[in-house]
Amino acid sequence: MPVVRSSEAVTHEIHGARFVSYATPLSGAKELCAWRGEIPAGTKAPAHTVNREEIFHLLIGELQVTLDGSVHRITAGDTVIVNPGVTFAVENPTDHTALTWVTTSIGLEAELADGSRITPPWAN
C-alpha cells in the first residue's frame, strides 16, 4: 500500500516512550521502516546497541543523546546518524514531550546492556 493514513499507523509503547509506526513490511515497505517517536518529559531510555543504521531526526523539543559514551544535546531540526554497532541512549531532561522521526532498514535489532535483545515490531 503506497499511502499509509495516520489512522492506520500502529502504536507501540516501550521504556516510557511511544512509537507510531507508518512504514513497515505490514504496511507495504520492502526495505525501509519509519516511525514517529514521542518521548515524554523525564524519560530516560536504556542504552542499546543497534545492528542497522538508524537516522534519528528531532522534530520538536530537546533531547540528550549518548553515542558510544559521548553526550550531545540536540534541538528541533537536528539529526543523529546512529551507525551499526554504536551504543545509543536517549533522555528527555525537559518538561515537554519531544517528537522524533526515525528511519532505518527493516530488520533493526537492539541489544541492551544486560545482553537481552529487542526486535522492535515497528521496525520489522
Side-chain angles (χ1 to χ4, degrees), residues 95-118:
D95 55 1
H96 301 288
T97 297
L99 296 180
T100 65
W101 185 259
V102 181
T103 303
T104 189
S105 55
I106 292 170
L108 176 77
E109 290 183 348
E111 183 175 337
L112 300 176
D114 66 3
S116 62
R117 290 191 172 278
I118 296 174

Side-chain angles (χ1 to χ4, degrees), residues 47-69:
H48 55 284
T49 304
V50 296
N51 70 330
R52 303 247 196 260
E53 183 176 69
E54 189 173 44
I55 307 301
F56 183 95
H57 182 76
L58 185 58
L59 298 168
I60 296 172
E62 295 180 32
L63 292 171
Q64 179 175 294
V65 297
T66 305
L67 298 163
D68 280 343

Side-chain angles (χ1 to χ4, degrees), residues 26-52:
L26 291 176
S27 64
K30 302 293 184 212
E31 296 179 19
L32 301 175
C33 51
W35 62 88
R36 185 183 72 234
E38 301 171 5
I39 305 165
T43 298
K44 185 173 183 178
H48 55 284
T49 304
V50 296
N51 70 330
R52 303 247 196 260

